[in-house]
Amino acid sequence: MNQTDHVPDVSGPSSDPGRESASRVSPTMIRLRAVVAAARFHGLELDVRDFAAEPGEESPSPATLVRWLEEQGAVAKGMRIKWRYLVKMTNSPPIVLMFRDGSAAVMVGADPSKGVVWLRDPLKDEATAPVPVDELRLSRIWTGDVLLIKRRRDQSEADAPINLTWLAKMVLREKRSLRDIAIASMTLSILQIFPPLIVMQVIDRVVNYKSMSTLISISGIIVVFSVYEVLLSYGRRELSMVLTTRVDSRISLHVFSRLVSLPLEYFERQQAGNLLGRVMAIYKVRDFLTGKLMNTFLDLFTLVVILPFLFYLSSTLAWMTVAAAGCIGLIVVVFMRPVARVIGEQMQAERERGAILYETVAGIRTLKTLALENMRKQVWDEVTAVVIRWKLAVGRMSNWPQTLVMPLDMFINRGIILVGAYLALVSPSSAGVGGLVAFMMLGNRVASPLVGFAKLLDDFNEVMTSLGEAASVLNQPTETKALATGMRPAIKGALSFDGVDFTYPGSTSKALNNVNFEVPAGTMLGLVGRSGSGKSTITRLLQGVSRSYTGYLKLDGIDLREINLTHLRRSFGVVLQDNFLFRGTIRENITAGRPGYTIDDVVRAARMAGAEEFIERMPAGYETFIEEGSTNISGGQRQRLAIARAVITDPKLMILDEATSALDPESEALVNANLERIGKGRTMVIVSHRLSSLVNCDQICVMDHGSVADIAPHDVLLERCDIYRTLWMQQNRHTEGKSKSGSSSLVAKGE
């Protein structure tokens, strides 16, 4: 089976589904187009490139499609129905019908009187008239499976603010598991009543009356109850593990999705180690919800069942047990706020220490080359001292409630039996020996959840502090809406800036000030200027990194803010000054998670970027593994791989922001020689301080203090633009000096 059957090929020359012929489109693509068409009816714009196929599926199953649709903010359900029900769905929105060959069609209507349903080809335009199909014709190709889609109207878990309510809903979604656990817990609580009762009978009847037959009967009953209790306990633990695992996976998926949906600007303002520390704090909340909290509430079932029986055995001892546990809870509540304050300080100190550790590991190369070990050790010692100081403060603050609680806990475990013994001596009729032993057996089971519930409040402080830390990151405004909504036009590459102003958050001066220029599609545009003139800011706006600009920035006549952000970024090829390569093979890095591309596509992109030559010299060629931090390749090789990764998608618009700055002269000359070939048929925006690499650009835009000083070809700018001419002379005066005097100045040599 062809690899492209799993991941649809959407990088072909035609992006208009109405122009695609069925002979060229795989059944998988037809099925996905049908889903996209049905979702569009509800105002949901989907991109088939967002779809990730399940391994081993020749064509996406209804379950896989439901999973994809729910990730995109829809409510979907796959089901199997019979013809007699399908033909009666006259007022339903578009329904996707699954065909046996792996394709699908969109049902847009039904007529029970005529016995037909109206189907529309998902590859045709929506204005195309649907085709009537009767039961006989449809039964030959239809599997009986349908996919129902509607838009989610309420706030989804992916968009809702992360708080205790959000986490509780995550747990409560497992209704079936919670129900089964509750039934098992209630049954176990009831079974736990019988052993103390049996012990009471043994003491009061068997021992006193020396009845061997009664002992044998009671022993059999105990064995039966014990077997049931063991099996139920095992089942409850198994259900609890399944529940916690499902909740854990769901929280992890949501947290990571929320994290990567945050805008780049937010990450640029945060210290990476501190940010990660705050995000990871949510796992403390997860452990609390699925660990201590769940176990305590499960034990409360025991309390509900056993507590009335304790009052039956001895109301006096029962009230003492409840009163002691209540005092424990009161002590914990009193100390909640002061303990929460010092715990918050401790967590802040630990985050600062984590940030230092992360920064040290991330910059270990600089640390080693500059011999900064002692300096970083000193910083580490200082932050560690702060952590230890607050940890000691937390321990001392927590020690007080634990000390005050201990006498009450001892009274519940030890004092009750003394009081019971006294009551048995004073009034034998009110509490017998067997009853006292039964009360002690059940009393420990009751006191444990009461004390645990009171101590739970103490843990609640740390949990709420951790939740607040995680929420301070994860509840930041995300790009989710921009990534999922907006127009998806076919990108050609015409750019237009009309009065664009932009100021970075926290800055008082404009990074861009009334920028005005436009270039047609297919233009090679160079951006030059002194440092801080606004060159990289323009590329940031084009990539949608910052959308808080004023004025109009248009791509092919459409305001950039109206274009779907995912579609926009996938339509661009971007190469930065410092590019990041992931751990994996060279081939995996060039394809960048797009398995639909073949090795021929990878080789073509590498050749275009001038990377083929060094890749073929590597031990495993395109399967060579790149280590973390790209330590086993040079900076120039990494840059050429980044260029190959950008051009493999055949984007209509490419941005090169100092893309050749890390290349040696030979590699730079090789890439520059390929730029004209790379730029053929596409718009190129090239930021470079080396003006010699921009000589062949169609237009060169000269930036100065956030404004456009001039825009023209190289020769024109040399004549009329003082800034450009000055920059050119500064970079090329050493060559002019040689031509005049045969030698260069010391300054020229330095440059």
Side-chain angles (χ1 to χ4, degrees), residues 442-584:
L442 291 174
N444 288 333
R445 294 179 182 271
V446 170
S448 178
L450 284 173
V451 174
F453 190 72
K455 291 181 178 179
L456 199 66
L457 298 175
D458 192 19
D459 297 323
F460 190 71
N461 285 310
E462 184 175 357
V463 166
M464 292 307 296
T465 303
S466 301
L467 183 59
E469 294 295 336
S472 67
V473 176
L474 300 175
N475 286 343
Q476 293 290 326
T478 66
E479 296 178 326
T480 303
K481 185 176 180 180
L483 291 168
T485 61
M487 303 174 64
R488 299 175 187 264
I491 303 297
K492 297 178 181 176
L495 297 175
S496 172
F497 285 74
D498 184 6
V500 174
D501 290 347
F502 176 75
T503 304
Y504 284 102
S507 176
T508 56
S509 59
K510 292 182 179 181
L512 294 180
N513 183 20
N514 194 30
V515 174
N516 294 276
F517 70 87
E518 61 179 286
V519 293
T523 301
M524 185 179 290
L525 173 69
L527 288 175
V528 300
R530 302 180 180 92
S531 296
S533 60
K535 305 183 299 297
S536 295
T537 303
I538 286 180
T539 64
R540 288 170 62 89
L541 297 190
L542 287 175
Q543 297 170 65
V545 173
S546 304
R547 288 193 157 192
S548 57
Y549 58 86
T550 58
Y552 298 95
L553 170 51
K554 295 181 179 181
L555 177 60
D556 298 323
I558 303 172
D559 193 291
L560 216 64
R561 288 169 289 202
E562 297 179 2
I563 300 176
N564 177 275
L565 200 53
T566 301
H567 176 73
L568 177 72
R569 290 173 178 170
R570 282 179 173 164
S571 302
F572 283 14
V574 180
V575 184
L576 305 175
Q577 182 174 359
D578 185 19
N579 292 279
F580 183 85
L581 297 181
F582 296 94
R583 292 182 74 247

Side-chain angles (χ1 to χ4, degrees), residues 519-526 679 682 684 694-700 711-714:
V519 293
T523 301
M524 185 179 290
L525 173 69
R682 71 181 99 239
M684 301 277 288
L694 303 178
V695 170
N696 294 325
C697 286
D698 301 315
Q699 297 285 327
I700 300 176
I711 180 169
H714 167 74

Side-chain angles (χ1 to χ4, degrees), residues 131-192:
V131 178
V133 181
D134 58 20
E135 180 181 5
L136 180 61
R137 293 175 59 195
L138 186 63
S139 63
R140 295 174 181 171
I141 57 175
W142 181 40
T143 64
D145 292 323
V146 300
L147 186 65
L148 307 177
I149 305 170
K150 70 176 183 178
R151 185 165 189 166
R152 184 181 286 125
R153 297 297 179 186
D154 58 334
Q155 193 175 39
S156 66
E157 287 178 347
D159 302 321
I162 291 180
N163 49 32
L164 202 58
T165 303
W166 181 86
L167 287 166
K169 286 181 179 179
M170 298 285 276
V171 176
L172 293 175
R173 280 186 60 178
E174 302 295 330
K175 294 179 182 177
R176 180 176 297 179
S177 296
L178 289 171
R179 181 200 63 194
D180 294 340
I181 291 172
I183 293 173
S185 299
M186 188 65 70
T187 307
L188 280 171
S189 300
I190 295 172
L191 288 177
Q192 287 172 2

Side-chain angles (χ1 to χ4, degrees), residues 295-307:
N295 291 333
T296 301
F297 274 104
L298 290 177
D299 290 338
L300 287 179
F301 282 112
T302 305
L303 182 66
V304 172
V305 174
I306 295 178
L307 194 59

Side-chain angles (χ1 to χ4, degrees), residues 745-751:
S745 67
L746 292 175
V747 175
K749 289 181 180 178
E751 292 184 348

Side-chain angles (χ1 to χ4, degrees), residues 339 342-343 346 387-403:
V339 171
V342 291
I343 285 177
Q346 179 193 349
V387 170
I388 297 302
R389 188 159 54 247
W390 282 113
K391 187 172 288 188
L392 184 61
V394 170
R396 285 173 174 168
M397 184 64 70
S398 301
N399 195 20
W400 277 105
Q402 291 176 16
T403 303

